[in-house]
Amino acid sequence: MAEIGFLYTEIRHAVRHLRRWMQPRRVPTPLAIQPAVSWIQPEPYGQVLIIGPWNYPVQLLLAPLVGAIAAGNCAVLKPSELAPRTSEVVAGLIARTFPPEFVTVVTGGVEVAQELLSRRWDYIFFTGSTAVGRMVARAAAERLTPYTLELGGKSPCIVTADADLDLAARRIVWGKFFNAGQTCVAPDYLLVERPVMQSLLERLKGCIQRFFGPDPAASPDYARIVNQRHFDRLAGYLRNGQVAAGGQTDRDRLYIAPTLLVDVDWNAPVMQEEIFGPILPVLPFDDLEEVIGRLRQRPRPLALYLFTRSATVRDRVFGSLSFGGGCVNDTLVHLSNPHLPFGGVGESGTGAYHGRFSFETFSHRKAVLQSLPLGDPMVRYQPYGRKLWLIRKVMR
């Protein structure tokens, strides 16, 4: 669903629509510069660098490549060193598929990434943490290189009292614990209207057991934490509240059970940093306006999810809060629609891609105006003198 199937969708969509995307687009020409025709002509930037993360090491490296190729660029891919086996597979796939002067994979650690960023590129596309995104932006600024940053953040999920709680529980558990929570758009924390909090908690617990069985460690559908450094960071969050479900850990097996945390303080570390793991803080609220006020004070997230039956509530939340993208009565799935742009805002990212938006991300939109041989109005030329009144009239 998240790796291969997603890429099939992106590739099919690009192949189906590319001929139309690449056509020059006619635009109007003001009267003051007639007779002429104007158009926007997309062209490739040239050589692009794509740096991918470890959590979806196929999709998040190759999906941008679909757009880069569609727009006519050559590309160097830098996969994450934290997923070394997948990096080897992707490198072999690319080597068998493309001449190296068109697309090349460069593997290695942080020092390789730093060396790549020190080179001149026509465009840089980075997916990863906000902290590393700042480093990429600084490196790009040295050469005034345009870039896209696909970052993360703390994506809230709001459940109002009128929501379908059974549906909400299923979709929140699926979205949060997919890939053991190691998803940049996973619900990071849950805000539940107080009258339905206990009822929703019971449903969340029931869904965890239905999806992963009585022992999630034995489930073939439940992932592990990527490494011990991330495991230790996540295990520390378990002390930031009361465990309502899960909480079991095994450092040797990099296992953390699907966990619900309650009695969490807004100032706790688990509420300050992106969790990126299978721990879901659940906080009650009494007033939606209070929630909106709190969220407006925090960095703008990559995603926001809202479960409600009320169009008024939906419009109030989505009209008041800025975020990259999101869903009403669902989680994660907005990024699977190639007709929607996917990207962040502020600290959650810069730029967007997927579908046509990928083609546009990797294309320079060249502006062209062609004057037509249908006369040459002398009003534009000096001396202006008595023509000033006519110039003012035309320009207005």
Side-chain angles (χ1 to χ4, degrees):
M1 284 191 291
E3 295 271 57
I4 306 303
F6 183 96
L7 283 172
Y8 284 154
T9 300
E10 281 288 294
I11 293 167
R12 281 195 299 265
H13 187 78
V15 169
R16 186 176 299 125
H17 297 286
L18 180 56
R19 187 176 297 277
R20 179 165 53 86
W21 296 345
M22 63 193 293
Q23 294 301 313
R25 179 166 60 89
R26 285 281 295 271
V27 295
T29 303
L31 177 63
I33 49 178
Q34 293 282 6
V37 293
S38 304
W39 67 89
I40 299 170
Q41 183 170 324
E43 68 176 12
Y45 276 107
Q47 297 180 348
V48 304
L49 172 64
I50 299 173
I51 302 176
W54 53 263
N55 59 324
Y56 295 100
V58 178
Q59 182 232 122
L60 293 176
L61 189 70
L62 298 188
L65 179 63
V66 174
I69 293 173
N73 298 277
C74 298
V76 169
L77 308 181
K78 167 59 176 72
S80 171
E81 68 277 10
L82 300 185
R85 301 290 183 245
T86 307
S87 297
E88 291 175 10
V89 171
V90 170
L93 171 68
I94 295 298
R96 293 191 300 271
T97 306
F98 298 101
E101 63 269 26
F102 291 165
V103 185
T104 297
V105 175
V106 176
T107 59
V110 174
E111 68 287 348
V112 172
Q114 291 172 338
E115 175 64 23
L116 287 170
L117 288 170
S118 72
R119 304 298 181 92
R120 180 176 295 279
W121 302 95
D122 299 303
Y123 201 92
I124 297 174
F125 191 103
F126 170 79
T127 303
S129 70
T130 300
V132 180
R134 289 191 177 96
M135 299 180 201
V136 173
R138 282 194 290 268
E142 287 295 320
R143 299 182 181 272
L144 297 180
T145 303
Y147 57 81
T148 292
L149 302 178
E150 294 295 338
L151 309 177
K154 296 188 71 63
S155 298
C157 180
I158 304 169
V159 182
T160 62
D162 71 327
D164 181 334
L165 297 185
D166 290 320
L167 177 73
R170 287 195 301 271
R171 292 184 172 177
I172 291 168
V173 168
W174 174 75
K176 175 61 181 181
F177 300 114
F178 192 93
N179 201 24
Q182 297 167 121
T183 304
C184 60
V185 289
D188 194 272
Y189 58 100
L190 190 55
L191 303 171
V192 187
E193 200 161 1
R194 194 179 300 274
V196 298
M197 179 162 168
Q198 283 305 125
S199 182
L200 180 62
L201 277 172
E202 293 306 314
R203 287 170 167 82
L204 292 170
K205 295 175 188 177
C207 286
I208 291 172
Q209 184 160 29
R210 284 201 304 275
F211 290 0
F212 305 113
D215 180 15
S219 169
D221 300 313
Y222 188 67
R224 297 298 184 265
I225 307 307
V226 65
N227 58 31
Q228 289 187 341
R229 181 170 66 87
H230 283 278
F231 176 93
D232 292 339
R233 176 183 61 84
L234 291 166
Y237 291 150
L238 297 175
R239 298 188 292 271
N240 292 171
Q242 182 71 32
V243 173
Q248 298 84 6
T249 64
D250 184 335
R251 193 173 190 270
D252 292 334
R253 299 169 62 196
L254 298 175
Y255 168 76
I256 297 178
T259 299
L260 304 176
L261 276 187
V262 296
D263 298 330
V264 178
D265 189 273
W266 277 90
N267 296 315
V270 74
M271 292 299 295
Q272 304 306 309
E273 305 158 0
E274 183 178 9
I275 296 172
F276 221 71
I279 300 168
L280 181 63
V282 185
L283 293 82
F285 71 88
D286 298 298
D287 179 40
L288 184 62
E289 293 304 317
E290 176 191 351
V291 167
I292 291 172
R294 278 189 177 274
L295 295 182
R296 285 173 66 91
Q297 295 171 9
R298 299 168 77 86
R300 290 174 285 181
L302 184 56
L304 183 143
Y305 305 112
L306 173 66
F307 287 85
T308 184
R309 287 189 173 100
S310 168
T312 302
V313 170
R314 177 200 66 201
D315 294 345
R316 175 62 181 146
V317 170
F318 279 55
S320 303
L321 298 173
S322 177
F323 51 92
C327 302
V328 181
N329 297 324
D330 214 331
T331 61
L332 305 194
V333 295
H334 62 291
L335 63 84
S336 64
N337 182 352
H339 300 281
L340 289 174
F342 175 71
V345 57
E347 292 190 21
S348 59
T350 300
Y353 72 122
H354 290 178
R356 179 167 191 157
F357 303 97
S358 292
F359 175 82
E360 292 179 349
T361 286
F362 288 103
S363 297
H364 167 61
R365 287 175 283 281
K366 184 163 56 182
V368 182
L369 182 143
Q370 178 178 344
S371 294
L372 301 178
L374 300 175
D376 189 12
M378 301 302 292
V379 68
R380 76 155 77 170
Y381 301 112
Q382 300 90 341
Y384 296 117
R386 297 178 182 177
K387 295 184 287 187
L388 282 175
W389 70 271
L390 181 57
I391 292 171
R392 293 192 185 102
K393 185 174 182 179
V394 171
M395 296 301 287
R396 285 175 183 150

